[in-house]
Amino acid sequence: SQTIHQWPATLVQPVGSPLSLECTVEGTSNPNLYWYRQAAGRGLQLLFYSVGIGQISSEVPQNLSASRPQDRQFILSSKKLLLSDSGFYLCAWSVGAMGVGEQFFGPGTRLTVL
Amino acid sequence: AQSVSQHNHHVILSEAASLELGCNYSYGGTVNLFWYVQYPGQHLQLLLKYFSGDPLVKGIKGFEAEFIKSKFSFNLRKPSVQWSDTAEYFCAVAGGNNRLAFGKGNQVVVIP
């Protein structure tokens, strides 16, 4: 069966520090991968998606970047965190045509920037 | 691009009451529709989905949703809620731009 892991579960970082959040998927090949940010009362905002290794698409301009160094690994990064980067970050995967079918979500990372 | 509207962000009701959460979307083409649920401390998970066929879809835990194409709606219902239905519910729509657009969610609290 497929599983998705995210770490760390929680993270507190000072403003201006770098960020690296990791997401890995097991039990499937060539998945579509997604990074979302979830804010209370605002739903899920798609940040990045990837249909293959090294292929990254950004949905909104921001202080973050994403990379996919391996088929089932998706990394969210920042060189210098801002206060506004605080939030709950979710990784998700799907198969088939991008964005059409069911997506499976990870447990999320709660990021607090102080 | 498609967008999704969910109203009444906070819903409080007693056990055994009926629940209906509204979802309206804006997109004129063919859509796939989803309801996701996030129980306290758990992953976001799929509750039910509609791709085609019978517009009345049944999901897990006694939930159902009805797709009404003329109203661009996909409302979620449960005839009799339980305390364990306390959760946040998200409607999502996949349209022609290969994106899954989420509504802002409904925070549902069921009082025992």
Side-chain angles (χ1 to χ4, degrees):
Chain A
S1 64
Q2 302 90 354
T3 55
I4 178 169
H5 303 279
Q6 284 186 248
W7 64 91
T10 59
L11 189 61
V12 180
Q13 292 283 95
V15 169
S17 64
L19 173 74
S20 181
L21 303 182
E22 190 163 342
C23 170
T24 58
V25 180
E26 297 177 358
T28 187
S29 296
N30 196 31
N32 304 312
L33 296 172
Y34 311 83
W35 278 111
Y36 290 90
R37 179 162 53 205
Q38 182 181 7
R42 298 179 63 182
L44 277 71
Q45 180 187 32
L46 180 63
L47 303 176
F48 301 94
Y49 66 90
S50 170
V51 298
I53 296 174
Q55 300 179 63
I56 309 295
S57 296
S58 174
E59 283 295 290
V60 293
Q62 58 206 315
N63 186 43
L64 302 169
S65 62
S67 62
R68 184 170 178 174
Q70 300 181 44
D71 181 46
R72 288 169 287 178
Q73 184 184 31
F74 205 22
I75 297 172
L76 184 69
S77 305
S78 174
K79 292 182 179 178
K80 290 185 178 182
L81 283 169
L82 305 172
L83 286 174
S84 57
D85 293 323
S86 293
F88 190 57
Y89 291 86
L90 288 169
C91 181
W93 68 271
S94 71
V95 292
M98 216 289 293
V100 174
E102 178 182 355
Q103 294 184 16
F104 300 89
F105 288 83
T109 295
R110 175 75 60 191
L111 172 66
T112 303
V113 182
L114 301 175
Chain B
Q2 66 272 29
S3 63
V4 182
S5 296
Q6 291 180 247
H7 307 289
N8 301 322
H9 180 64
H10 295 280
V11 177
I12 302 174
L13 60 167
S14 301
E15 277 192 318
S18 64
L19 173 68
E20 180 160 2
L21 301 178
C23 173
N24 290 92
Y25 65 92
S26 61
Y27 183 72
T30 301
V31 292
N32 294 333
L33 300 159
F34 308 84
W35 274 97
Y36 284 85
V37 60
Q38 190 169 31
Y39 297 104
Q42 296 189 26
H43 296 205
L44 197 63
Q45 60 186 279
L46 185 70
L47 196 57
L48 48 77
K49 61 187 177 185
Y50 172 81
F51 283 11
S52 64
D54 188 345
L56 185 60
V57 179
K58 295 192 183 299
I60 60 172
K61 303 187 179 185
F63 284 90
E64 65 178 29
E66 184 175 12
F67 171 49
I68 303 179
K69 188 174 182 180
S70 61
K71 294 185 178 181
F72 298 90
S73 69
F74 190 54
N75 293 352
L76 180 71
R77 297 191 292 256
K78 184 170 183 178
S80 178
V81 295
Q82 301 173 319
W83 174 77
S84 58
D85 294 320
T86 294
E88 190 158 17
Y89 295 81
F90 294 92
C91 182
V93 175
N97 65 353
N98 297 328
R99 306 289 186 274
L100 190 60
F102 284 84
K104 294 183 178 180
N106 295 107
Q107 184 64 57
V108 175
V109 175
V110 180
I111 301 171

